[in-house]
Amino acid sequence: MTDRATGTHDQEVGAMLRELRLRYVLKQQELAQALGVKHAAVSRWERGARGLTVDVLLTIAERFGIPAAELLPERHQAPPPPSPIGKHSPEDAAVNGIVHVLRERPDLVLQVMAFIEQQTVSDPADVTIP
């Protein structure tokens, strides 16, 4: 017996699975073959007629190279951990340092902005201002 809450959840997960499949331009049959299941199983999952097991959810996430949480509706995802009181991330410290310098030396604002625009750095910790 399926209650409405479960049915709604299954439909939301199915819609997210369908969205992911379409993002990768896969047919249901292609996804079924990649997962080693029948085409009808993928169809039922996407319609919300049948829920995904945790094993299948993890397999899909692994095959697509995404976190399993990406397949879950927002209300079922774990909230981000709270930041410890009194502790700041390295990014916060870097931003605060830049703000402090620019308050002391407003004449450097344009130079700093030009420098930042020129940089294409993947890790903010790699940025050093001359």
Side-chain angles (χ1 to χ4, degrees):
M1 183 175 197
T2 305
D3 71 316
R4 291 193 185 273
T6 303
T8 301
H9 173 74
D10 289 345
Q11 290 169 349
E12 290 176 28
V13 171
M16 295 180 96
L17 175 61
R18 181 176 190 276
E19 181 181 310
L20 180 67
R21 178 180 60 79
L22 293 175
R23 187 181 331 152
Y24 285 88
V25 193
L26 291 172
K27 296 177 182 177
Q28 285 182 342
Q29 182 63 36
E30 294 169 323
L31 178 59
Q33 286 175 342
L35 298 174
V37 298
K38 294 182 180 181
H39 170 264
V42 174
S43 177
R44 285 191 295 266
W45 294 333
E46 288 186 1
R47 288 192 328 263
R50 178 167 295 217
L52 290 148
T53 64
V54 172
D55 288 338
V56 171
L57 183 83
L58 294 173
T59 300
I60 292 169
E62 182 181 311
R63 296 285 169 111
F64 283 102
I66 60 168
E70 191 172 319
L71 290 167
L72 298 175
E74 193 172 304
R75 69 177 183 273
H76 293 286
Q77 295 180 13
S83 58
I85 296 174
K87 294 189 178 182
H88 300 284
S89 70
E91 291 83 9
D92 291 341
V95 169
N96 289 336
I98 293 169
V99 169
H100 176 73
V101 168
L102 293 178
R103 282 188 179 142
E104 297 293 319
R105 297 277 316 268
D107 58 302
L108 295 177
V109 170
L110 293 178
Q111 289 175 307
V112 170
M113 288 176 61
F115 176 79
I116 291 170
E117 287 176 0
Q118 292 173 355
Q119 300 300 308
T120 54
V121 185
S122 61
D123 184 6
D126 291 341
V127 174
T128 54
I129 297 176

